[in-house]
């Protein structure tokens, strides 16, 4: 089925971006050509530079963000000003402060680009309209968020039950692409350990045993 | 609008249970009388005794469970046989091993009744059929799971950033009804501390300062 994209949407989008985004959605729900047009008319592709913020704590998170290219981190800043990384996101992941987004209240979290990024952004109001126009998107986001919830619960279990070494090894196995792309101090923050301790773990793991 | 309930569903249900369940759903989506009938024909109310398991790790979690009455806990058993409580559920909460449920693979988690419980159970196959028959349920579960995800993420942040004392105080404020209903050693497990340490915290908090 050929892609029917109205003229207004091509503006600001590269064809490859459109394909990536729709291919991803099609893994979960089948949209008609008309529904794809409606969807594309309500979302925008936008580029961000490394270091730019998508969400800053205290601001309301207005967009759900799908990663076409790049890497981002979600983090919390504690009362001592220390950064705690909650999650990373790379290609084909969604990222936002969901608590802020669904309630449209100020965010507790920050979302920042770790690399230059290409994102698909859906504004809160547009998403509410899309849910009504394309009810299949309810299913799509229901499935996506279920997976995110399961991953978050697994993380709670791991933080309770695994040693730092085991958490690091599991992170490397589960997210090999992320491990290669983000600096070690961010991985340490994600694991809840100091970068010195992570460095020690890495040395231990790379030293061959007798 | 009067409730239209087919005869077969009254069997095994008390009228109060039907009302509680439908009232809860109605907070999120508006169902027609016919849709309510379909829904009720696919779910069952079931009683469990304190101590009974709803899910045991290693078994596939076949049901999503809505709590009409009672209190349950979800926990993980580590390699040393120690129990780590991930969440409690009381009236109007949903509980399952969602990872096992959505993939229909063996559960990592256990779900057990902390009190005698009345649950509404929806079998995996019936829920898939319900999503097709009543697409509004996609919206309903999308919203419910979003909230659960936000709570799980908040818990990860708290575990990273708050002291045990602060985590305990926040738990008491956030879930006052649960704090009164579950034994202290379970709260300690939920907080990731020993029951002796929790007892010390409670003593500190109850001792008036000069």
């Amino acid at each position: 089925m050929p892609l029917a994209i109205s003229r207004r949407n091509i503006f600001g989008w590269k064809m490859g971006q459109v394909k990536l985004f729709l291919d991803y959605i099609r893994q979960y729900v089948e949209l008609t050509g008309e529904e794809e047009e409606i969807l594309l008319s309500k979302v925008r592709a936008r580029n961000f530079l490394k270091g730019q913020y998508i969400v800053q704590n205290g601001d309301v998170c207005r967009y759900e963000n799908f990663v076409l290219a790049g890497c981002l981190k979600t983090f919390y800043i504690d009362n001592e000003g220390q950064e705690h990384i909650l999650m990373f996101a790379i290609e084909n992941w969604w990222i936002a402060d969901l608590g802020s987004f669904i309630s449209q209240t100020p965010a507790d979290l920050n979302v920042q680009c770790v690399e230059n990024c290409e994102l698909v952004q859906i504004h809160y109001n547009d998403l509410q309209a899309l849910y009504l126009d394309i009810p299949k998107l309810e299913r799509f986001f229901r499935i996506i968020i279920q997976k995110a919830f399961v991953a978050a619960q697994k993380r709670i279990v791991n933080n309770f039950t695994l040693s730092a070494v085991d958490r690091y090894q599991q992170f490397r196995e589960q997210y090999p692409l992320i491990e290669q792309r983000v600096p070690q101090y961010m991985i340490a923050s994600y694991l809840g350990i100091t970068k010195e301790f992570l460095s020690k773990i890495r040395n231990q793991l790379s030293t061959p045993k007798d």
Side-chain angles (χ1 to χ4, degrees), chain A:
Chain A
M1 187 180 55
L3 246 182
I5 302 165
S6 63
R7 300 295 300 170
R8 70 183 179 286
N9 304 314
I10 293 171
F11 183 77
W13 283 80
K14 291 177 232 155
M15 274 310 288
Q17 292 175 326
V18 173
K19 191 175 174 327
L20 271 176
F21 180 58
L22 291 180
D23 280 350
Y24 175 81
I25 306 257
R26 285 180 193 131
Q27 288 176 40
Y28 298 94
V29 288
E30 204 178 309
L31 300 182
T32 64
E34 193 189 351
E35 285 169 337
E36 289 181 350
E37 274 210 59
I38 296 170
L39 174 59
L40 291 176
S41 75
K42 296 281 192 191
V43 305
R44 63 173 182 183
R46 198 173 155 194
N47 295 319
F48 292 88
L49 293 174
K50 178 177 171 174
Q52 272 194 291
Y53 279 78
I54 312 303
V55 183
Q56 299 195 68
N57 66 306
D59 294 346
V60 174
C61 175
R62 303 283 183 202
Y63 294 93
E64 252 298 358
N65 305 283
F66 175 75
V67 186
L68 290 169
C71 179
L72 304 96
K73 61 177 177 175
T74 303
F75 64 100
Y76 178 81
I77 301 169
D78 69 19
N79 291 338
E80 275 77 47
Q82 207 188 331
E83 175 182 320
H84 302 271
I85 295 180
L86 260 167
M87 65 173 277
F88 296 104
I90 56 172
E91 289 76 14
N92 287 359
W93 291 37
W94 291 84
I95 192 160
D97 179 329
L98 191 66
S100 167
F101 183 77
I102 62 177
S103 61
Q104 289 291 288
T105 55
D108 294 325
L109 306 175
N110 302 274
V111 179
Q112 190 183 16
C113 298
V114 176
E115 301 173 352
N116 293 344
C117 290
E118 293 177 17
L119 305 182
V120 175
Q121 294 197 304
I122 313 184
H123 191 278
Y124 177 81
N125 295 340
D126 289 325
L127 185 55
Q128 305 319 304
L130 280 169
Y131 282 137
L132 301 178
D133 289 342
I134 314 172
K136 281 174 234 174
L137 291 178
E138 298 276 10
R139 180 182 185 83
F140 172 75
F141 280 105
R142 195 253 306 157
I143 295 170
I144 297 299
I145 293 157
Q146 278 179 338
K147 288 173 147 195
F149 173 75
V150 171
Q153 248 193 351
K154 203 171 185 68
R155 181 129 186 249
I156 296 171
V157 168
N158 288 349
N159 285 351
F160 266 140
T161 59
L162 297 184
S163 67
V165 179
D166 290 343
R167 291 207 304 279
Y168 175 57
Q169 284 192 309
Q170 193 171 79
F171 174 75
R172 288 211 296 191
E173 281 161 28
Q174 202 171 356
Y175 306 116
L177 294 174
I178 295 177
E179 213 246 334
Q180 294 159 22
R181 287 166 67 170
V182 304
Q184 290 298 313
Y185 77 88
M186 287 188 197
I187 295 174
S189 168
Y190 176 88
L191 296 173
I193 58 178
T194 62
K195 61 180 193 291
E196 291 76 18
F197 189 40
L198 177 59
S199 169
K200 210 168 129 183
I201 290 172
R202 284 166 55 87
N203 286 337
Q204 274 173 5
L205 292 175
S206 63
T207 309
K209 290 203 177 86
D210 291 332

